[in-house]
Amino acid sequence: MALPIDFITRTRALLGEEFDRLEAALSADVPVSIRINPMKGTPAPKAGAPVAWCESGFYLPERLSFTFDPLFHAGAYYVQEASSMFLEQAIKAYVKEPVRCLDLCAAPGGKSTHLASLLPDGSLLVSNEVIRSRSYVLAENIAKWGRPDTIVINNDPEEIGEALPHLFDVIVTDVPCSGEGMFRKDTDSTGEWSVDNVRLCASRGRRIIHDIWNALKPGGILIYSTCTYNTEEDEENIHYIIEELGAEALPIPTQEEWQITGALRFEHPVYRFFPHKTRGEGFFLAALRKAEGEIEEIRVKSKGKKERGKAAPSIPQEARLFLSDETSFSLEWNDSFLRAYPKAHSDLFSLINAKPLRVLSAGICLGEAKGKDFIPSQELALSTALTPNAFPSVELEWEDAIKFLKKEALVLPSGTDKGYVLVRYQGLPLGFVKNLGNRANNLYPQEWRIRTGYIPEEIRLFQ
């Protein structure tokens, strides 16, 4: 790998003779790691080695055919870089009871799906992505993971800071960075690196924290992370947050054998991963506590006369049976879509829906009303709140599961009930079809389908 000369000069100045070990590591193979989904009962991979700082994380001996693994599409596991799973240690150290958590720069969903597994029961997770196209990928991955007490939004941090003052107990900010820690994984990124871009990213990181700071509750926890090595985007920004915003940097328990590196500048507790020391890519994380103070009340405009006068359609009786614990949810119409919101957070769902925020998904979409028909949704199929026997189901072999995920026609076994049928793979739901008897309409979302027509000769699946 041809590293930029300025990067070599700057990083060698930070690491000294240790830089040669880093440079050698950047030419080695990239480790493959995944997190299993405990909410869906995914077992540990048979050939996996544990990621030391993440209970659900595992290194794989080889890269799987993820695109052609139905379990991946069912949300049984998520492919994530191992170093970034260190977020788990920060959450376990400082989150002991239900919280309102914001994952600010969340796409494609690695940290959000991790948080969905980590946060105590009764928590609410709001995942945000400012780039519109990436926000849809985020919403898809959140839906596949299956936790119902989630909201996905598409907003600039400044908009969230203004609309939701002092709402969140925890904010996770994996800020956009120069990506030095991903050089080995994405060798093309070396050509995009420059000192000017480092400075631009450092400045952008400070702006993002300023913009979102008002949304963090006094006494709340901010988790700041990057996938880069330089001190401008890392230690210097942490020092800036402490000095300018009055935050307190917090220690995170670690173990010596993890070989995590501390601060390269200043004396604040920060945590760095170098690929020549730890089995993973470059990563940096720090946890900070906001100073205590008065909490600002959020004001919500009352509904206008036209909105108050609208009569909501009645809730289909069968829809209440879709959820394993229907009494824990409030069911509400959003245009022609019926959504289920956890009652424990009904006020927050109403609050966020009332704000000028772009909400992509909230709670569980149960389905859509079309005339006299009610079509169950993909979100419902993948939700861990789905009643197991709410719909007749059919178990698919791998070939038919791939056909379904490509949104191709399926032929169901004779004797399968007509109507909406849940198709499964190795027991996990993949989605719905509508069985008409002589054929089955595939209801898998068009935008989620496997698009490639090429299927590798050798398929390596999760086991």
Side-chain angles (χ1 to χ4, degrees):
M1 179 192 303
L3 296 172
I5 297 299
D6 284 342
F7 170 79
I8 294 174
T9 303
R10 287 160 52 89
T11 312
R12 188 181 292 278
L14 281 176
L15 300 182
E17 294 181 359
E18 195 177 330
F19 177 78
D20 293 333
R21 293 173 56 205
L22 171 63
E23 188 173 26
L26 293 180
S27 298
D29 291 338
V30 178
V32 180
S33 50
I34 63 169
R35 271 185 306 97
I36 59 174
N37 190 342
M39 297 181 293
K40 294 197 174 183
T42 309
K46 293 178 181 178
V51 175
W53 44 86
C54 177
E55 288 187 9
S56 58
F58 295 88
Y59 298 101
L60 301 180
E62 61 180 353
R63 189 169 184 83
L64 304 182
S65 307
F66 296 121
T67 300
F68 301 99
D69 189 349
L71 291 179
F72 172 68
H73 296 274
Y77 64 90
Y78 190 94
V79 185
Q80 186 179 6
E81 199 283 306
S83 298
S84 65
M85 298 180 195
F86 182 67
L87 170 67
E88 178 165 321
Q89 299 304 315
I91 295 297
K92 286 184 174 179
Y94 294 104
V95 180
K96 307 294 186 181
E97 56 188 30
V99 293
R100 302 168 182 177
C101 178
L102 169 66
D103 185 6
L104 183 64
C105 311
K111 290 183 178 61
S112 277
T113 53
H114 199 181
L115 289 164
S117 298
L118 287 174
L119 294 176
D121 288 342
S123 297
L124 173 69
L125 174 63
V126 178
S127 301
N128 175 70
E129 173 55 44
V130 67
I131 300 173
R132 188 77 171 184
S133 58
R134 285 168 56 83
S135 67
Y136 291 113
V137 176
L138 170 64
E140 176 183 339
N141 285 327
I142 292 291
K144 287 177 177 177
W145 207 246
R147 181 162 176 162
D149 43 7
T150 57
I151 301 174
V152 179
I153 59 176
N154 165 227
N155 287 91
D156 187 273
E158 186 177 13
E159 295 172 320
I160 301 172
E162 291 177 354
L164 304 174
H166 297 176
L167 181 67
F168 297 103
D169 304 286
V170 179
I171 297 181
V172 175
T173 56
D174 188 40
V175 297
C177 67
S178 58
E180 296 166 352
M182 293 290 111
F183 280 176
R184 179 168 64 171
K185 194 172 181 180
D186 180 12
T187 54
D188 291 341
S189 64
T190 59
E192 301 170 3
W193 183 93
S194 70
V195 175
D196 285 342
N197 191 42
V198 167
R199 291 168 181 158
L200 175 65
C201 289
S203 174
R204 182 188 296 129
R206 291 193 297 273
R207 179 190 66 80
I208 288 172
I209 300 304
H210 265 287
D211 288 345
I212 203 59
W213 193 247
N214 193 48
L216 183 62
K217 185 181 296 183
I221 303 296
L222 175 83
I223 299 173
Y224 176 100
S225 63
T226 73
C227 56
T228 200
Y229 304 123
N230 66 76
T231 60
E232 291 98 320
E233 297 176 75
D234 295 341
E235 283 93 339
E236 293 178 39
N237 271 2
I238 296 304
H239 188 70
Y240 179 86
I241 295 168
I242 292 169
E243 292 295 309
E244 294 296 319
L245 299 176
E248 173 195 3
L250 302 172
I252 299 171
T254 62
Q255 297 183 27
E256 187 175 348
E257 57 265 31
W258 298 351
Q259 296 194 64
I260 299 172
T261 302
L264 299 179
R265 191 176 178 197
F266 305 112
E267 298 296 328
H268 309 306
V270 300
Y271 303 86
R272 289 173 158 279
F273 288 70
F274 285 108
H276 64 285
K277 289 185 172 183
T278 56
R279 192 178 174 189
E281 303 309 290
F283 184 66
F284 173 93
L285 183 141
L288 305 107
R289 178 180 282 121
K290 188 174 184 177
E292 296 287 353
E294 293 185 5
I295 295 178
E296 182 178 341
E297 182 181 349
I298 302 178
R299 299 183 181 277
V300 181
K301 291 182 179 179
S302 59
K303 296 181 179 180
K305 291 181 179 179
K306 289 184 179 180
E307 196 172 351
R308 285 199 304 267
K310 290 181 179 178
S314 59
I315 305 295
Q317 189 59 39
E318 68 270 21
R320 299 185 182 278
L321 304 177
F322 296 162
L323 301 170
S324 55
D325 184 10
E326 184 267 329
T327 60
S328 297
F329 293 88
S330 300
L331 274 55
E332 296 181 16
W333 288 102
N334 186 345
D335 295 325
S336 60
F337 295 92
L338 183 62
R339 304 203 73 92
Y341 303 120
K343 285 182 179 178
H345 301 294
S346 57
D347 57 335
L348 294 176
F349 280 94
S350 299
L351 169 66
I352 290 175
N353 279 323
K355 287 292 180 178
L357 299 172
R358 291 181 288 279
V359 179
L360 273 65
S361 67
I364 312 166
C365 179
L366 298 184
E368 181 182 11
K370 282 194 173 181
K372 295 182 179 180
D373 202 6
F374 185 80
I375 306 169
S377 78
Q378 183 66 20
E379 285 184 30
L380 174 64
L382 298 175
S383 176
T384 55
L386 173 67
T387 301
N389 299 318
F391 296 88
S393 66
V394 169
E395 183 75 16
L396 301 180
E397 296 298 323
W398 180 83
E399 291 81 1
D400 281 337
I402 294 300
K403 284 182 180 179
F404 174 76
L405 294 168
K406 286 187 165 188
K407 203 173 169 59
E408 295 177 357
L410 291 180
V411 177
L412 300 182
S414 60
T416 302
D417 293 347
K418 290 186 179 181
Y420 295 107
V421 175
L422 188 68
V423 295
R424 300 176 182 269
Y425 176 77
Q426 294 188 15
L428 287 182
L430 292 178
F432 289 106
V433 297
K434 187 174 185 181
N435 186 26
L436 303 177
N438 58 338
R439 60 186 174 88
N441 290 343
N442 190 333
L443 302 182
Y444 197 67
Q446 182 78 10
E447 61 275 13
W448 290 19
R449 74 192 189 284
I450 297 175
R451 290 173 171 81
T452 179
Y454 166 76
I455 296 182
E457 291 185 7
E458 181 183 4
I459 301 292
R460 296 183 294 275
L461 303 176
F462 178 90
Q463 294 181 345

